[in-house]
């Protein structure tokens, strides 16, 4: 997971990160989670342990915290009723309509997220 630098211009951060990742042949997904969110914890753990690498070898995830980054991500449209939020950025770095949010709790969280993430990334 990529952790964004501090700064209020989230659209610029996303735009710059997307360009850098694209130059390396990678897809970028913006992720918004929270430390208290159980599905988020399970996704983070799986991602950090490399458990998603074989299923998503070209994926880079730019992770924001819904509580810590609330105002700055809202300015770029990365808000949703549920978390986690997974979104493809628009060319200008704002949140596109290609997104999904929420997951189940428990051991099935990553298994619930993975196929929706695969569908989101389908070109």
């Amino acid at each position: 997971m990529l952790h964004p630098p501090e700064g209020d211009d989230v659209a610029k951060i996303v735009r710059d990160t997307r360009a850098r990742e694209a130059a390396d042949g990678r897809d970028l997904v913006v992720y918004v989670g929270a430390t208290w969110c159980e599905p988020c914890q399970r996704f983070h753990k799986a991602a950090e342990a490399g458990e998603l690498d074989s299923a998503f070898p070209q994926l880079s995830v730019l992770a924001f915290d819904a509580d810590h980054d609330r105002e700055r991500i809202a300015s770029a449209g990365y808000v949703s009723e549920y978390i986690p939020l997974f979104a493809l950025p628009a060319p200008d770095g704002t949140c596109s309509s290609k997104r999904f949010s929420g997951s189940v709790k428990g051991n099935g969280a990553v298994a619930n997220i993975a196929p929706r993430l695969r569908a989101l990334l389908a070109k």
Side-chain angles (χ1 to χ4, degrees):
M1 284 205 189
L2 304 172
H3 300 284
E6 290 298 320
D8 292 333
D9 194 346
V10 167
K12 181 180 182 332
I13 291 168
V14 171
R15 231 180 10 256
D16 292 350
T17 304
R18 182 180 185 208
R20 195 170 48 251
E21 296 304 305
D24 289 337
R26 300 184 64 79
D27 296 312
L28 181 69
V29 167
V30 175
Y31 161 83
V32 179
T35 57
W36 50 265
C37 166
E38 184 183 338
C40 302
Q41 293 165 1
R42 291 182 183 272
F43 179 78
H44 262 264
K45 183 178 177 183
E48 295 293 334
E51 295 172 14
L52 302 171
D53 292 353
S54 63
F56 302 101
Q58 300 305 116
L59 180 62
S60 293
V61 177
L62 182 60
F64 289 92
D65 182 278
D67 295 322
H68 179 263
D69 299 311
R70 181 174 312 278
E71 290 181 25
R72 71 184 192 141
I73 60 176
S75 69
Y78 293 98
V79 294
S80 70
E81 184 176 353
Y82 303 105
I83 57 171
L85 167 66
F86 294 86
L88 294 180
D92 66 356
T94 61
C95 187
S96 77
S97 61
K98 296 177 182 178
R99 56 193 273 166
F100 71 90
S101 63
S103 183
V104 298
K105 292 182 179 180
N107 291 334
V110 175
N112 175 267
I113 292 168
R116 295 188 298 153
L117 187 54
R118 190 170 295 107
L120 181 68
L121 294 167
K123 303 228 188 275

